[in-house]
Amino acid sequence: TSDLDDGETALFFASEDDEALAERILWCIYHRKEAKAIGERSYRIYEEKYSMEVFSHNLLSEVNRILTAAVDLDENKKEINT
């Protein structure tokens, strides 16, 4: 599922659709409070799931998982060969 929801955590418009982009920009100008809330919700999602801190943590966890599996596999091979 996507973390982005039009009007809740993002403002969508079709690629290369200048008019739709202009409409979204105008909407933000005339609805500053709502636009700010959308931005704040989006930033919370970024912080919780996509920040460098989260990325680093997830990457290190995955590397550790792979290395642990490799060590376990190597130890099992040694036990079988002895």
Side-chain angles (χ1 to χ4, degrees):
T1 63
S2 173
D3 294 318
L4 300 178
D5 183 26
D6 191 31
E8 290 297 317
T9 55
L11 295 175
F12 295 150
F13 58 92
S15 177
E16 299 184 29
D17 186 343
D18 300 344
E19 287 183 30
L21 173 58
E23 288 172 9
R24 290 302 191 160
I25 291 170
L26 287 173
W27 184 89
C28 289
I29 290 169
Y30 293 114
H31 301 90
R32 290 182 186 272
K33 189 174 181 178
E34 295 95 328
K36 182 178 179 184
I38 290 170
E40 289 169 350
R41 286 189 293 271
S42 296
Y43 189 73
R44 277 196 301 272
I45 291 170
Y46 161 77
E47 283 290 312
E48 292 170 5
K49 295 185 175 186
Y50 304 106
S51 68
M52 186 53 71
E53 181 179 335
V54 171
F55 174 80
S56 299
H57 172 76
N58 291 341
L59 178 61
L60 288 174
S61 293
E62 189 63 16
V63 168
N64 284 331
R65 185 190 68 76
I66 291 167
L67 290 175
T68 299
V71 168
D72 290 345
L73 188 67
D74 188 50
E75 288 175 359
N76 289 338
K77 278 180 150 178
K78 287 179 184 175
E79 288 177 11
I80 292 171
N81 291 330
T82 55

